[in-house]
């Protein structure tokens, strides 16, 4: 067995030992971080951020909303903070948009319901 194959099988075994709630939570945090970057929130002036891309932010926020909605029953005590983070990103998206979506039409709102 090659060294690369050995490392891959070790990674798979390690991932198999991680509880589902942790995998879901890590994925949610990664999506939240990506959305925040794409909204320019990591920079002093989000509107001038070179990383700002609202189209990409919409996609990531929608994916996050789908993940959270589909897995909320498994998240236990993690559900509240993850939902709050999602709603904060949805509001930040609306505030960043030159032409904000109607309530219920924003990123991920087809899964979460309207965010005001």
């Amino acid at each position: 067995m090659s060294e690369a194959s050995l490392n891959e099988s070790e990674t798979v075994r390690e991932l198999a030992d991680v509880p589902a709630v942790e995998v879901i939570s890590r994925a949610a945090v990664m999506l939240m971080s990506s959305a925040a970057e794409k909204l320019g929130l990591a920079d002093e002036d989000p509107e001038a951020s070179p990383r700002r891309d609202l189209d990409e932010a919409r996609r990531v926020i929608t994916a996050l909303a789908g993940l959270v909605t589909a897995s909320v029953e498994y998240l236990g005590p993690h559900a509240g903070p993850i939902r709050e983070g999602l709603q904060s990103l949805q509001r930040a998206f609306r505030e960043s948009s030159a032409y904000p979506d109607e309530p219920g039409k924003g990123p991920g709102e087809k899964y979460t319901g309207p965010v005001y």
Side-chain angles (χ1 to χ4, degrees):
M1 187 178 274
S2 73
E3 187 174 324
S5 296
L6 183 59
N7 288 338
E8 286 176 29
S9 64
E10 286 176 12
T11 301
V12 170
R13 269 194 300 258
E14 289 174 13
L15 189 57
D17 295 333
V18 178
V21 66
E22 191 172 330
V23 173
I24 295 165
S25 296
R26 285 183 187 182
V29 168
M30 182 180 291
L31 290 167
M32 283 185 206
S33 296
S34 175
E37 288 284 342
K38 291 177 187 314
L39 288 170
L41 299 177
D43 295 316
E44 279 187 41
D45 182 4
E47 291 185 28
S49 172
R51 291 180 288 278
R52 187 170 179 188
D53 185 334
L54 295 183
D55 188 47
E56 286 286 302
R58 176 184 295 278
R59 294 173 187 179
V60 176
I61 294 168
T62 299
L64 173 62
L67 174 66
V68 171
T69 301
S71 59
V72 71
E73 68 183 284
Y74 307 116
L75 293 173
H78 302 281
I82 291 173
R83 276 183 155 163
E84 289 170 14
L86 169 58
Q87 289 173 352
S88 293
L89 289 166
Q90 288 171 311
R91 282 192 291 275
F93 182 91
R94 180 167 280 118
E95 291 169 6
S96 297
S97 298
Y99 303 100
D101 298 312
E102 297 175 33
K105 302 288 185 185
E109 291 183 22
K110 68 180 177 182
Y111 301 114
T112 64
V115 175
Y116 300 95

